[in-house]
Amino acid sequence: MIDTEYDVVVVGAGPGGSITAKNCAERGMKTLMVEKRQMIGDPVRCAEGIAKHTVKKHIEPNPKWICAEAKGFRIFSPSGIKVEMVGEFGSGEVGYVLDRKLFDRALAHEAARSGATILVKTRATGLLIEDGKVCGVELEHLGKKFCVRAKVVVGADGVESKVGRWAGMNTSLKPRDIETCAQALVYDPSADQEFCEFYLGREIAPGGYAWIFPKGEGCANVGLGILGSFSDAGAPFNYLNNFLKKYLPNAKILEIIVGGVPVSKPTDGIVGDGIVLVGDAARQSDPLTGGGIGNAMEAGAIAGEVVSEAISEGDTSAERLREYEERWFKERGKKLMRNWLVKEHIMSLSDEELDKLAKSIADVKFKGLQLYELLKHLLRRNPKLLWKLKGYI
Amino acid sequence: MVLNVNRYVCGYCGACVAVCPHCALELVETWLEIGSGCTECGICVKICPVGALSLDEVKA
Ligand SMILES: Cc1cc2nc3c(=O)[nH]c(=O)nc-3n(C[C@H](O)[C@H](O)[C@H](O)COP(=O)(O)OP(=O)(O)OC[C@H]3O[C@@H](n4cnc5c(N)ncnc54)[C@H](O)[C@@H]3O)c2cc1C
Ligand code: SF4
Ligand code: SF4
């Protein structure tokens, strides 16, 4: 049964929400997680790539939701120059390729097992705010509206987040701060099953990139994202069709996926009195790679800890909850800031300049590198082209 | 002008909701609602990955 009062209400049962709920429930918080969809994890809005060590930090890997393991990645410059790296990639989204439908459900299962109450097909439609402090949510479940009070509300409601906006935080994204994406899960035995591949170029994906991720059994996630400011109605889907025609003309499409990824400058202001935002809702996805599963889980773990402590101390003010924001920034946000700067700069380069960069490191045998070191190699070999980034790498 | 959504085309991804400066859109599972706050600015139309949104003379 649903009560009318909880310590914590988490809105959204994606990776961010489930890890937050789990971490709160584990600390004895009376926790409710609501999800507007009738099926957690479905439909997927993701290419499903993630570093192995990030997964392992939060949940025991399970072959049920691991579709493939990539042994490295390849980047193709606009004219097709290949840069290849073998080994687990520190801050990248390469390692496992997941089945998000099952993965998201497994995370929600963990939250439930830790004691959280979960309510699906339940949409948050507003916040209860008293004296400027968030103290609950308005919900709608199977056509019925009701309110639930909470000491802290966690907005983990993804790219389309409203929770922050209801509390007066401006989290709406400008077109230049979102990648608009289209993806197909395809069956095509010719698709590489060992590497995650990335394709750059204005003709392929203006202001973004295309990807081919192995999904096992002859399948692959083939998709692309283009920067919102370069987009036009339906553009991502059209670019995807062109990409498929060129690179995997025999692909049979098993599933179509569309979605948006925030690639904005990391911001503060993700906490308020009685409220915190987590994951895509807090715009915590990596602006360079577009990866957001790992960051949502990391943020969820920190938020769960801080929120629980704050509630135990009886102080859920913005000042107290700011510890979450500060720790987030220290642990991940700084790197995101660097990646945002790199993204902004790469975006300003022409296809010819990107080719030049790729050529400069095409002979390097990378093994188990961090993104940081790849960037350092690039900078060392292209000081003029990348001078703007000198201070950051 | 009026904003229309073609629900036979929409992939219910929420990208349009994220960019609407006026909080006028709401994604209810597979059903995109257009609220009263829409100023017909057209931002969401350009963002939609499948082209399900359009600004038209009349309400569809
Ligand atoms: C095409 C594409 C490819 C991507 N590829 C990758 C990748 O390869 N690797 C990677 O790491 N990341 C990738 N991402 C990003 C990744 O999918 C997100 O960053 C990640 O899902 C964020 O997790 P989250 O928990 O913050 O939000 P979500 O997973 O979006 O979960 C939010 C949940 O909140 C629910 N919700 C929203 N509003 C309400 C409401 N009012 N009431 C109740 N529930 C609500 C939603 O239904 C949803 O289930 C990709 C994204 C896209 C679009
Ligand atoms: S962006 Fe397009 S596909 Fe996505 S929810 Fe909005 S109208 Fe539907
Ligand atoms: S046209 Fe502008 S105001 Fe109207 S829903 Fe789209 S983004 Fe919002």
Side-chain angles (χ1 to χ4, degrees):
Chain A
M1 258 323 287
I2 296 309
D3 280 335
T4 51
E5 268 191 70
Y6 286 84
D7 291 322
V8 185
V9 172
V10 179
V11 179
S18 284
I19 294 293
T20 312
K22 172 176 179 255
N23 277 274
C24 289
E26 274 173 356
R27 290 175 175 78
M29 295 297 117
K30 187 175 168 192
T31 306
L32 171 69
M33 176 164 73
V34 297
E35 167 57 53
K36 70 179 171 187
R37 301 170 175 189
Q38 60 188 21
M39 201 166 164
I40 287 169
D42 188 46
V44 171
R45 306 184 285 204
C46 190
E48 308 177 298
I50 185 167
K52 293 181 189 174
H53 63 89
T54 312
V55 171
K56 287 174 189 159
K57 259 175 96 172
H58 301 283
I59 183 169
E60 187 68 33
N62 186 329
K64 265 197 225 155
W65 40 256
I66 297 169
C67 297
E69 290 185 36
K71 71 173 193 195
F73 70 90
R74 303 191 180 109
I75 302 174
F76 293 91
S77 77
S79 73
I81 301 164
K82 182 169 81 178
V83 177
E84 186 173 291
M85 299 194 200
V86 183
E88 170 132 20
F89 197 54
S91 70
E93 268 56 63
V94 176
Y96 291 135
V97 181
L98 305 170
D99 183 328
R100 280 278 311 264
K101 283 178 198 143
L102 298 178
F103 179 71
D104 284 22
R105 188 188 295 179
L107 293 179
H109 181 258
E110 293 272 307
R113 233 177 28 175
S114 304
T117 301
I118 298 173
L119 206 53
V120 296
K121 216 171 169 64
T122 305
R123 185 167 58 100
T125 54
L127 292 174
L128 306 179
I129 300 177
E130 286 167 12
D131 302 326
K133 184 178 189 315
V134 175
C135 54
V137 281
E138 295 167 8
L139 300 174
E140 189 180 297
H141 173 65
L142 296 176
K144 268 203 220 88
K145 287 186 187 251
F146 56 99
C147 293
V148 166
R149 295 185 69 85
K151 290 173 187 139
V152 175
V153 172
V154 179
D157 47 341
V159 68
E160 77 263 44
S161 177
K162 291 263 177 82
V163 170
R165 297 174 79 171
W166 291 328
M169 305 156 161
N170 181 12
T171 56
S172 76
L173 292 167
K174 301 215 160 50
R176 65 187 301 271
D177 289 331
I178 186 169
E179 291 282 331
T180 163
C181 310
Q183 176 178 277
L185 167 63
V186 305
Y187 171 72
D188 185 339
S190 75
D192 190 288
Q193 288 295 333
E194 292 196 312
F195 284 82
C196 286
E197 295 184 330
F198 300 91
Y199 296 78
L200 300 173
R202 303 239 152 167
E203 306 269 290
I204 294 173
Y209 61 82
W211 62 82
I212 304 179
F213 286 4
K215 270 281 272 196
E217 299 179 338
C219 294
N221 280 338
V222 185
L224 53 80
I226 68 183
L227 197 68
S229 43
F230 295 143
S231 184
D232 215 337
F237 206 64
N238 297 334
Y239 276 98
L240 177 63
N241 281 328
N242 291 339
F243 184 80
L244 279 167
K245 240 182 253 156
K246 185 163 173 204
Y247 291 90
L248 296 166
N250 298 316
K252 293 173 187 163
I253 296 176
L254 305 179
E255 192 173 325
I256 291 172
I257 282 160
V258 285
V261 190
V263 289
S264 45
K265 186 175 176 180
T267 53
D268 47 13
I270 54 173
V271 304
D273 287 321
I275 178 172
V276 305
L277 303 181
V278 163
D280 276 13
R283 312 319 187 194
Q284 286 165 329
S285 43
D286 188 317
L288 182 60
T289 66
I293 313 168
N295 285 349
M297 293 196 295
E298 296 283 309
I302 304 172
E305 199 183 313
V306 174
V307 163
S308 303
E309 282 167 10
I311 290 173
S312 304
E313 290 162 17
D315 177 7
T316 55
S317 64
E319 288 71 49
R320 178 64 187 86
L321 295 173
R322 193 150 291 125
E323 184 192 329
Y324 153 61
E325 186 173 283
E326 285 164 6
R327 276 181 51 191
W328 160 258
F329 195 78
K330 224 165 91 198
E331 287 172 34
R332 302 289 277 216
K334 254 196 217 148
K335 200 156 67 191
L336 291 191
M337 190 61 104
R338 178 201 72 195
N339 286 4
W340 177 76
L341 283 159
V342 173
K343 179 213 69 170
E344 288 287 298
H345 189 61
I346 288 182
M347 215 78 97
S348 71
L349 299 177
S350 66
D351 277 3
E352 291 70 34
E353 287 168 323
L354 286 174
D355 280 329
K356 224 168 121 188
L357 287 183
K359 211 184 257 159
S360 77
I361 54 166
D363 60 326
V364 182
K365 280 266 166 285
F366 291 102
K367 224 172 168 330
L369 274 188
Q370 303 279 330
L371 184 57
Y372 175 68
E373 284 180 59
L374 166 75
L375 294 171
K376 248 178 26 193
H377 265 281
L378 277 173
L379 186 62
R380 206 175 300 138
R381 294 185 180 203
N382 307 274
K384 271 205 194 120
L385 209 51
L386 299 177
W387 64 271
K388 272 192 193 156
L389 300 177
K390 205 166 159 245
Y392 303 103
I393 295 174
Chain B
M1 298 297 267
V2 55
L3 180 71
N4 284 312
V5 55
N6 184 342
R7 295 202 178 86
Y8 297 106
V9 176
C10 171
Y12 28 95
C13 70
C16 53
V17 182
V19 295
C20 175
H22 303 290
C23 235
L25 298 171
E26 170 79 348
L27 182 65
V28 187
E29 293 202 74
T30 59
W31 187 265
L32 184 74
E33 276 178 0
I34 301 171
S36 54
C38 173
T39 61
E40 291 102 35
C41 72
I43 293 177
C44 58
V45 177
K46 283 179 178 287
I47 292 298
C48 176
V50 285
L53 295 164
S54 56
L55 282 172
D56 306 311
E57 295 295 336
V58 290
K59 200 167 164 57

